[in-house]
Amino acid sequence: PVETKDLMKKKDTEDRCLAVLTSGGDSQGMNAAVRAVVRIALFKGMKPYLVNEGYKGLVEGGELIKECQWTDVTHTMHKGGTIIGTARCKEFRERSGRLDAAANLVKARINNLVIIGGDGSLTGANIFKEEWKGLLEELVRKERITQEEAALLPYLNIVGLVGSIDNDMCGTDMTIGTDSALHRIIEAMDCLVSTASSHQRTFVLEIMGRNCGYLTIMAGIAVGAEWVLIPENPPKEGWEESMCDKLKSSREKGRRLNFILVAEGAIDQENKKITTSDVKKVIDSKLGFDTRVTVLGHVQRGGRPSAYDRILGTRMGAAAVQTLFEAKGEMDAFMIAIRGNEMTKLPLMSCVETTKKIGSALNERDFNRMQELRGSSFARNIKILKKLEACPTTTCKPESSPSSPSYTFAVMNVGAPAGGTNSCTRSFVRFLLYSGHTVLGIYSGFDGLKEGEIKNLDWSEVSEWGSVGGSKLGTTRTVPDDKSLDAIAKSLESHGIQGLLVVGGFEAFQSLIKLEEGRRKYPALCIPIVQVAATISNNVPGTEYSLGCDTALNVIVSACDILKQSATASRKRVFVVETMGGYCGYLATMGALAGGADSAYIFEESFNLDHLRKDVAHMVHKFKAGNFEKGIIMRNESCNNNYTTDFMTQMLAEEGKDYFIARSSVLGHLQQGDAPSPFDRILGTKYAYQSMNHLLECMERSTTSEGKVLATGSDTICVMGLVGVEYKPTPVSVLKDKCDMKYRIPNDQWWIQLRPLVRILARHADKKFHG
Ligand code: ATP
């Protein structure tokens, strides 16, 4: 791991130079990475250089390689693409080009390089590193550099970051740009949903991804798709008939719109390309449906980077500099990867080589191997998508058998609305119907359960729920008390509910604790119960991510972009932005990191007037020094009762009156967002899948010989969480000791470690102001 806590280590005298370049296809989030590389390097005392136009800049040198300052990367994080340009450079593929590149680096005294690009760019960088000594010897021989110059830079250290919308590199869970591309795809699909369903249309959509179907699968999970075609899982012979049968039966069941998603690199079993027009021709000739083709193309690379990509780029950029900074001499080439929530450094060439094996497996038509190399979650995602879309009929329940028991499940929402809640509910319903079970929807939380507001949910009813924000089932904040347990138990019993999914926030967690206490008195409560955390606050213990917080972060980031633009237009403004979150500082901290704020005040990190004074002085200093037109101070709504948003704004207004105007912006309920982000929709589905498996497993082992479910173990009442890279159920009885029940925050919060990054990245290079 590359530990963020070690970021604070720096040297006062450091003369190492470091250059950063972007190469290959551009992707959103590259600018966040470049910004982080530059600023962390300055913080560490290293001299950063920007190489413009990718390897072309290295080969040509001159003005294309430029030492840069703090302000050169100001106001860049919100931009898509790459501010330093990218190119494909033929010359760098030749040794002669790399010789020129080495000469240019030696002249600038640079032997630390951060390359942001795809596998091609990283391979090129590795070749360059390996040839370095030979290149320098040749340069000395040719008298292009002196022996002394060569001796100063005996090796080249490189770190690669993967910028690619395809998410096609092995070793890292995500690459920079993938999440933003998914945002573009899902926005487009949501738009097509309304027009397609008005006209009863079938849309055949081409999605980018040469050798990789990741974007296609995820878009299918997030919005829904009758059929997907990806390179890693070519359809069986006769797929045309099967696809048309599926479309026909879905139309007969009243579905007005259909999506067929085709990855750019889709092929059949014989490695023959399948294009969108091939698919359209099949549907035209066999069904005569109104079918339209949409090729999203470069739209997917465009637009503003998502909150996730800004944070990923920032963290990866910081980890790259840290890796180079910590090198004691020559080091192996590394690639920075994200695994779960952790930054790691991996041997660069082993990641590239594994990735290349996927290409070879494709040529050999070894599709199982391709999926295996993409990691275990890839095959699971394909399976999930198939289950989501395999509509069962009354006579066909694909995964049920006469011998397997059929259970009655229920699902409800508790707490404030959060993006992804409906996606979770939809997927839960469909997965269970697919396996032959019954699912009841409980409307209006525990109030509705008491009152019997309960209804059977069927396949088509939940069809379009995934793309909708809020809560289709309706949600309340009511937590059961001793009095209501009786009515709740009776209602569960009378509806024959044998397993329950509660999608909700901290109130849902408190409810589960209460239900567990009630089990002693009411046997009807002895059924397996799972909570999926859904709250924009991200404060439920047992998981690193709750549904809704990614959607909220994207709202916060958009707000920051707008406020910064307003400040730039009207000149010199500082905004105090208040975020939600209760006492949990997740949104304020991550919003600050992604929105480029100067600081983030949170409840978990107490502060006093001295801190405020220092920060105000910093802001004044920043504006005085010139070049700054805006500042953002993020403040969690409950960070301090007395130092309120108004107080902070007035303090800034008074102390900074000669330099800027201070304003406040309380984002409030806007943070619940409109349409859920792709991440929340996908996470909702994955949580539903894991919750279903856990519930079923608990039910099977707790079924008595009379066929009654009697679940009493603590593991039968859990929060289903994402912990590291694992989906894991944790009993509420364990979790209640791992959080502060008064302030409703978990004791250990993974994101706290990122807080130094906010401060470092916002501080002007002036050392006096680094604390
Ligand atoms: P994308 O995934 O977006 O295509 P990429 O980094 O794989 O990104 P490439 O076109 O393969 O894109 O590579 C970008 C540049 O990296 C090339 O134009 C070239 O300058 C350099 N490069 C790629 N492969 C090599 C190589 N084998 N040797 C030297 N340089 C290379």
Side-chain angles (χ1 to χ4, degrees):
V2 186
E3 302 274 0
T4 316
K5 65 176 165 31
D6 296 336
L7 253 184
M8 299 306 281
K9 289 181 198 154
K10 57 178 174 167
K11 290 189 200 151
D12 281 336
T13 49
E14 172 70 62
D15 53 6
R16 278 186 287 174
C17 301
L18 165 160
V20 55
L21 63 88
T22 50
S23 170
D26 64 314
S27 66
Q28 308 98 317
M30 281 182 162
N31 292 330
V34 170
R35 171 179 176 268
V37 168
V38 168
R39 294 194 167 176
I40 301 292
L42 286 169
F43 172 74
K44 294 269 189 194
M46 295 170 94
K47 242 195 228 174
Y49 284 74
L50 297 177
V51 180
N52 288 278
E53 312 305 333
Y55 287 124
K56 182 170 178 275
L58 275 193
V59 174
E60 290 183 13
E63 280 299 291
L64 293 178
I65 305 178
K66 254 190 158 164
E67 190 182 344
C68 71
Q69 307 304 326
W70 189 268
T71 45
D72 290 333
V73 288
T74 295
H75 209 34
T76 56
M77 215 180 12
H78 64 290
K79 294 183 183 163
T82 159
I83 50 156
I84 52 175
T86 179
R88 304 205 192 256
C89 172
K90 268 200 327 283
E91 292 77 6
F92 194 75
R93 288 182 182 271
E94 309 298 327
R95 188 181 155 93
S96 58
R98 297 193 289 273
L99 191 70
D100 290 344
N104 288 324
L105 286 182
V106 170
K107 292 289 172 203
R109 300 260 161 97
I110 301 165
N111 69 337
N112 292 286
L113 209 49
V114 179
I115 303 96
I116 312 171
D119 58 345
S121 305
L122 302 189
T123 306
N126 193 60
I127 294 172
F128 190 37
K129 174 187 168 59
E130 293 194 335
E131 287 176 350
W132 182 258
K133 281 194 183 74
L135 291 171
L136 263 53
E137 279 163 18
E138 191 176 332
L139 287 169
V140 171
R141 260 199 327 275
K142 291 184 170 162
E143 298 184 356
R144 290 179 62 184
I145 61 169
T146 64
Q147 192 79 51
E148 290 71 33
E149 281 174 322
L152 282 176
L153 307 170
Y155 54 83
L156 176 69
N157 281 345
I158 61 167
V159 176
L161 308 184
V162 192
S164 159
I165 67 164
D166 295 347
N167 204 22
D168 54 356
M169 178 67 84
C170 295
T172 183
D173 291 352
M174 285 296 267
T175 57
I176 300 170
T178 303
D179 185 65
S180 306
L182 265 177
H183 272 259
R184 295 302 91 77
I185 296 166
I186 276 148
E187 283 153 17
M189 287 177 78
D190 284 352
C191 292
L192 292 174
V193 165
S194 46
T195 169
S197 47
S198 311
H199 291 273
Q200 288 214 19
R201 263 187 191 146
T202 300
F203 269 94
V204 184
L205 212 69
E206 183 185 295
I207 292 178
M208 275 187 168
R210 272 169 309 188
N211 278 348
C212 186
Y214 180 87
L215 290 174
T216 306
I217 298 170
M218 290 306 165
I221 290 177
V223 185
E226 254 83 11
W227 204 264
V228 296
L229 293 154
I230 57 166
E232 295 90 342
N233 189 28
K236 294 198 181 75
E237 209 182 315
W239 62 272
E240 295 89 341
E241 271 75 30
S242 314
M243 179 183 74
C244 289
D245 286 349
K246 179 100 186 279
L247 287 175
K248 197 160 158 262
S249 85
S250 126
R251 260 312 150 83
E252 281 164 5
K253 285 191 195 75
R255 187 148 186 191
R256 294 175 62 83
L257 91 119
N258 315 99
F259 275 121
I260 314 288
L261 306 183
V262 186
E264 197 187 357
I267 44 166
D268 66 13
Q269 296 273 345
E270 301 306 314
N271 262 6
K272 191 172 149 280
K273 196 167 166 49
I274 303 178
T275 65
T276 45
S277 56
D278 295 336
V279 176
K280 177 175 158 51
K281 268 187 219 144
V282 169
I283 303 172
D284 282 345
S285 66
K286 292 192 190 293
L287 297 172
F289 284 1
D290 181 1
T291 305
R292 305 294 162 105
V293 169
T294 299
V295 178
L296 294 179
H298 284 77
V299 164
Q300 294 160 92
R301 283 192 191 280
R304 288 171 181 249
S306 67
Y308 182 87
D309 274 329
R310 297 183 198 202
I311 294 168
L312 184 68
T314 300
R315 292 186 69 191
M316 285 187 162
V321 178
Q322 204 175 322
T323 303
L324 290 166
F325 178 82
E326 282 166 5
K328 297 279 181 280
E330 182 163 19
M331 66 169 199
D332 292 338
F334 286 111
M335 181 187 100
I336 301 296
I338 185 161
R339 296 261 180 94
N341 260 324
E342 199 176 70
M343 285 292 138
T344 54
K345 52 178 202 239
L346 302 173
L348 182 131
M349 278 323 280
S350 85
C351 299
V352 171
E353 272 150 23
T354 314
T355 305
K356 289 194 169 149
K357 282 184 193 153
I358 295 180
S360 316
L362 174 71
N363 293 335
E364 289 155 21
R365 288 187 279 156
D366 188 347
F367 305 113
N368 287 336
R369 176 99 181 107
M370 274 181 94
Q371 288 185 34
E372 234 172 71
L373 288 165
R374 289 240 178 269
S376 58
S377 65
F378 195 87
R380 191 174 62 218
N381 290 335
I382 298 179
K383 196 165 135 194
I384 284 180
L385 179 61
K386 286 195 169 158
K387 283 191 180 200
L388 271 181
E389 292 300 334
C391 176
T393 61
T394 35
T395 49
C396 163
K397 300 204 166 152
E399 255 192 7
S400 69
S401 71
S403 58
S404 60
S406 170
Y407 292 108
T408 300
F409 290 79
V411 52
M412 70 197 295
N413 301 160
V414 173
T421 298
N422 293 325
S423 168
C424 182
T425 311
R426 167 199 69 145
S427 303
F428 185 70
V429 170
R430 289 198 159 183
F431 291 144
L432 285 165
L433 293 180
Y434 183 84
S435 310
H437 303 285
T438 301
V439 193
L440 305 176
I442 300 171
Y443 287 75
S444 308
F446 283 101
D447 297 326
L449 176 56
K450 276 190 301 185
E451 302 303 324
E453 287 177 46
I454 297 169
K455 176 179 141 199
N456 231 316
L457 292 172
D458 72 26
W459 185 267
S460 41
E461 187 167 0
V462 296
S463 269
E464 267 128 56
W465 285 23
S467 312
V468 185
S471 158
K472 294 289 276 184
L473 289 174
T475 180
T476 66
R477 288 176 176 269
T478 309
V479 175
D481 56 15
D482 290 334
K483 277 199 269 164
S484 56
L485 280 181
D486 188 53
I488 287 170
K490 278 194 183 119
S491 184
L492 287 172
E493 195 161 21
S494 66
H495 288 91
I497 295 167
Q498 296 165 298
L500 177 65
L501 177 71
V502 183
V503 187
F506 208 86
E507 286 92 358
F509 178 62
Q510 290 169 313
S511 303
L512 261 62
I513 294 174
K514 195 72 206 165
L515 294 180
E516 184 170 42
E517 281 167 23
R519 276 179 166 184
R520 269 167 268 143
K521 193 162 169 199
Y522 302 101
L525 301 179
C526 295
I527 54 169
I529 304 175
V530 168
Q531 177 189 357
V532 165
T535 161
I536 67 167
S537 306
N538 201 22
N539 64 338
V540 175
T543 187
E544 289 170 3
Y545 286 107
S546 62
L547 299 179
C549 59
D550 185 61
T551 303
L553 263 184
N554 280 291
V555 174
I556 295 170
V557 164
S558 303
C560 288
D561 289 352
I562 296 168
L563 294 174
K564 281 184 173 178
Q565 184 172 294
S566 142
T568 315
S570 52
R571 306 195 79 77
K572 317 246 180 219
R573 272 202 180 152
V574 175
F575 284 95
V576 179
V577 176
E578 184 185 300
T579 64
M580 280 185 159
Y583 288 95
C584 177
Y586 178 83
L587 286 181
T589 301
M590 301 304 268
L593 200 54
D598 292 82
S599 45
Y601 288 96
I602 62 170
F603 172 79
E604 293 91 333
E605 203 175 277
S606 64
F607 59 95
N608 58 30
L609 197 55
D610 275 348
H611 293 105
L612 285 178
R613 249 196 223 122
K614 269 195 197 150
D615 272 358
V616 172
H618 157 69
M619 196 61 89
V620 171
H621 171 82
K622 203 167 118 166
F623 277 78
K624 237 191 207 171
N627 278 336
F628 282 94
E629 287 159 346
K630 64 211 176 301
I632 291 192
I633 308 274
M634 206 67 84
R635 180 187 176 279
N636 158 267
E637 60 182 355
S638 309
C639 65
N640 188 296
N641 283 342
N642 298 312
Y643 300 139
T644 60
T645 301
D646 282 345
F647 177 93
M648 286 188 184
T649 312
Q650 283 162 17
M651 190 170 170
L652 281 158
E654 180 58 27
E655 300 298 316
K657 62 177 180 267
D658 296 333
Y659 306 99
F660 52 76
I661 294 165
R663 292 276 187 271
S664 64
S665 179
V666 178
L667 301 181
H669 287 79
L670 289 178
Q671 290 161 92
Q672 285 174 0
D674 178 16
S677 69
F679 182 82
D680 278 333
R681 298 184 199 193
I682 294 160
L683 189 63
T685 293
K686 291 184 177 176
Y687 275 152
Y689 183 73
Q690 302 292 346
S691 301
M692 169 192 74
N693 287 340
H694 183 66
L695 284 169
L696 273 171
E697 193 254 311
C698 292
M699 285 155 112
E700 274 156 21
R701 75 178 135 88
S702 339
T703 305
T704 63
S705 49
E706 295 89 53
K708 213 169 146 5
V709 173
L710 198 69
T712 50
S714 62
D715 64 337
T716 61
I717 184 155
C718 301
V719 172
M720 178 55 66
L722 181 56
V723 184
V725 291
E726 250 185 285
Y727 288 89
K728 199 170 128 185
T730 313
V732 290
S733 57
V734 172
L735 292 174
K736 69 181 180 208
D737 297 329
K738 293 195 168 172
C739 66
D740 182 331
M741 292 301 280
K742 179 173 172 208
Y743 291 107
R744 303 162 42 129
I745 37 177
N747 296 342
D748 289 320
Q749 304 192 87
W750 69 269
W751 49 268
I752 293 275
Q753 49 148 337
L754 302 182
R755 287 190 53 79
L757 257 181
V758 176
R759 265 189 129 53
I760 296 173
L761 290 168
R763 294 279 151 151
H764 196 275
D766 186 340
K767 298 238 171 21
K768 204 165 76 187
F769 283 98
H770 278 298

